[in-house]
Amino acid sequence: MEVVSYAVMLISLFIIEIIYFKIAKHYHIIDRPNDRSSHKKATIRGGGIIFCFAFLLYPIFFETTPFYFLAGLLCLGLISFLDDLKPRDFKVRMIIHLIAVTLMFVQLGVFSLPVYVIILAVIFAIGTINAVNFMDGINGITGGYSFVTLLTLLYINHYVVNFIEKDFIITALIGVMVFNFFNFRKKAVCFAGDVGSICMAFILVFIILKLVIHTNNMSYISLLLIYGLDVVSTIFFRVLRKENIFEAHRTHLYQYLVNEKKMPHLQVVAVYCLVQCLVNLILIYYPVNNLSYLATVLLLMGILFVVFRLKYQGQKYLLGK
C-alpha cells in the first residue's frame, strides 16, 4: 500500500510540475542569463515550487499533519516565489524567514531546550537556509546535493536511529526526484528559483534538527559540511576583499570550476556529492558526540579548505592581489 501511495504521489507531482511550466511560460516566469549567470539560455524559474506541493500532498497520503512545519514552509514558499517574480525588500524577507523558523521550532519543541541550544539552532537554521540558496547556481547542484543528504537521512533513520516518520523523508525525496528529472541535465528545463532552494533548505534543516535533538548529537550538522565550507570560505574571502557580502556575485568554488575552469555543471555536482558522501559515511560509521571535538574538526576543515582554495584558485582571484 505504501508503494502505491509513493507512486501516485510521484505521478501527481509530475503533473503539477508540468502544469506549473505552462503557467510559468504564459506569465514569463523566466530566468534570463546575465553577467553573473552560469547558464546561457532563458530557462523557466521556480521549478523548485514542487517541494512545497510535495508537502501539501503529505497529509493527504499519510494522514498526519505537521501543522507548524507546513505553515512555516508555506510562508517561506510564498515570500520566496514572490521574490522570484520581483525582488522583495530584504527586511521583509528576513522577517518571514524568522517567522518560518519560529514555526519550525514550535513543531520540533526547540523552545523547551536550554537558551544556548536555541541560539545555536537559530544560527544553524538561518545560516543553512541562506547557504543552500547561495549554492543554487548551476544545473543539478540543489537537487543532487539534496538527494544525497536525504538518502543519508533515510539510511540513518532506518539503520542507525529511528527519529522521524520515514514517509516524511520519502516525500522530500519524491519531490527532489521530480525536480531532478527536469533540472539534473546538461540543458535544464527549469531552475529551482529561490522558492526551490530556500524551501528545500527549510526541509533539510527541519529533518537534521529533529535528528540532532533526538540523538543529542550536533555532529549531524556535518551532513551539510561541503556546502558550509564553500559558503563560509567565500564569505571570508569577500570580507577580506571588502565587498558587500549581500550583493550577488559568482565567486563560490563551484562557480569558479564552472565559469573559469569550464568544467561541466554535472561534473562539478558529482564532485560535491561524492565528497559529501564520504563525509556522511565517516559520520555514520565513526560517530563522535563531543561538542569540543566537533568545533575543533570544523575549524581545522575550514582552515584546510581556505588553504586549498588559495593554492588552487590563487591569491589574485580570491584576494584581489
Side-chain angles (χ1 to χ4, degrees):
M1 194 66 183
E2 283 184 342
V3 174
V4 173
S5 296
Y6 299 149
V8 174
M9 177 179 278
L10 181 68
I11 294 167
S12 300
L13 289 176
F14 262 111
I15 293 170
I16 291 170
E17 188 77 305
I18 290 168
I19 291 172
Y20 171 73
F21 290 164
K22 292 184 180 296
I23 294 171
K25 287 178 181 178
H26 180 78
Y27 289 101
H28 305 289
I29 308 174
I30 305 294
D31 197 320
R32 302 188 184 282
N34 55 44
D35 59 348
R36 296 186 305 275
S37 302
S38 297
H39 62 285
K40 298 179 180 178
K41 56 175 285 190
T43 307
I44 294 171
R45 183 193 305 151
I49 198 171
I50 202 66
F51 305 144
C52 287
F53 280 108
F55 279 97
L56 284 175
L57 295 181
Y58 179 76
I60 298 172
F61 282 93
F62 304 112
E63 299 180 352
T64 177
T65 306
F67 176 80
Y68 294 106
F69 164 81
L70 288 175
L73 181 65
L74 292 178
C75 283
L76 271 188
L78 178 60
I79 190 63
S80 300
F81 185 69
L82 291 175
D83 198 46
D84 280 329
L85 298 179
K86 182 180 179 181
R88 305 289 151 170
D89 184 79
F90 174 77
K91 292 178 182 178
V92 173
R93 284 187 285 120
M94 282 308 300
I95 290 171
I96 301 298
H97 282 211
L98 287 171
I99 291 172
V101 168
T102 299
L103 289 167
M104 176 203 292
F105 284 4
V106 172
Q107 186 76 58
L108 290 169
V110 171
F111 292 115
S112 64
L113 301 174
V115 174
Y116 79 93
V117 176
I118 297 173
I119 294 172
L120 289 174
V122 170
I123 294 170
F124 174 69
I126 298 295
T128 301
I129 288 170
N130 284 282
V132 174
N133 190 33
F134 292 158
M135 292 294 291
D136 182 43
I138 59 175
N139 296 350
I141 195 162
T142 293
Y145 195 85
S146 299
F147 191 74
V148 166
T149 306
L150 288 166
L151 274 182
T152 304
L153 287 163
L154 188 64
Y155 180 91
I156 292 171
N157 191 59
H158 187 76
Y159 291 104
V160 181
V161 55
N162 184 260
F163 67 96
I164 194 172
E165 297 83 359
K166 71 178 186 303
D167 294 331
F168 193 94
I169 302 177
I170 291 174
T171 295
L173 276 167
I174 292 173
V176 170
M177 287 168 62
V178 171
F179 174 71
N180 280 349
F181 181 81
F182 298 104
N183 177 262
F184 199 92
R185 52 176 77 189
K186 185 176 181 180
K187 294 182 179 179
V189 176
C190 70
F191 294 147
D194 282 357
V195 66
S197 58
I198 288 175
C199 287
M200 178 47 61
F202 187 80
I203 294 164
L204 292 176
V205 167
F206 178 82
I207 301 173
I208 291 173
L209 279 180
K210 193 167 181 65
L211 174 59
V212 168
I213 292 168
H214 185 86
T215 60
N216 196 30
N217 187 348
M218 289 191 63
S219 67
Y220 285 114
I221 65 173
S222 301
L223 289 168
L224 299 173
L225 178 64
I226 306 307
Y227 261 24
L229 289 174
D230 194 328
V231 170
V232 173
S233 63
T234 297
I235 291 173
F236 173 73
F237 287 123
R238 296 195 75 194
V239 169
L240 291 181
R241 294 196 301 269
K242 298 180 180 180
E243 295 178 358
N244 183 346
I245 63 172
F246 297 106
E247 287 184 355
H249 66 101
R250 61 178 207 173
T251 57
H252 285 286
L253 177 59
Y254 78 88
Q255 292 171 319
Y256 175 82
L257 294 173
V258 167
N259 298 317
E260 309 301 327
K261 292 297 184 180
K262 306 302 179 185
M263 287 177 63
H265 289 212
L266 299 187
Q267 186 175 329
V268 174
V269 173
V271 171
Y272 272 68
C273 289
L274 287 172
V275 176
Q276 185 62 61
C277 277
L278 178 60
V279 172
N280 294 353
L281 287 171
I282 294 171
L283 189 61
I284 291 170
Y285 291 105
Y286 301 96
V288 175
N289 190 358
N290 184 293
L291 190 57
S292 298
Y293 180 80
L294 174 64
T296 302
V297 170
L298 292 179
L299 179 60
L300 289 174
M301 290 291 291
I303 293 171
L304 288 173
F305 198 75
V306 166
V307 172
F308 165 76
R309 291 191 65 176
L310 284 170
K311 290 286 186 181
Y312 184 70
Q313 296 176 260
Q315 292 188 27
K316 184 176 182 180
Y317 183 87
L318 292 171
L319 303 177
K321 296 179 181 180

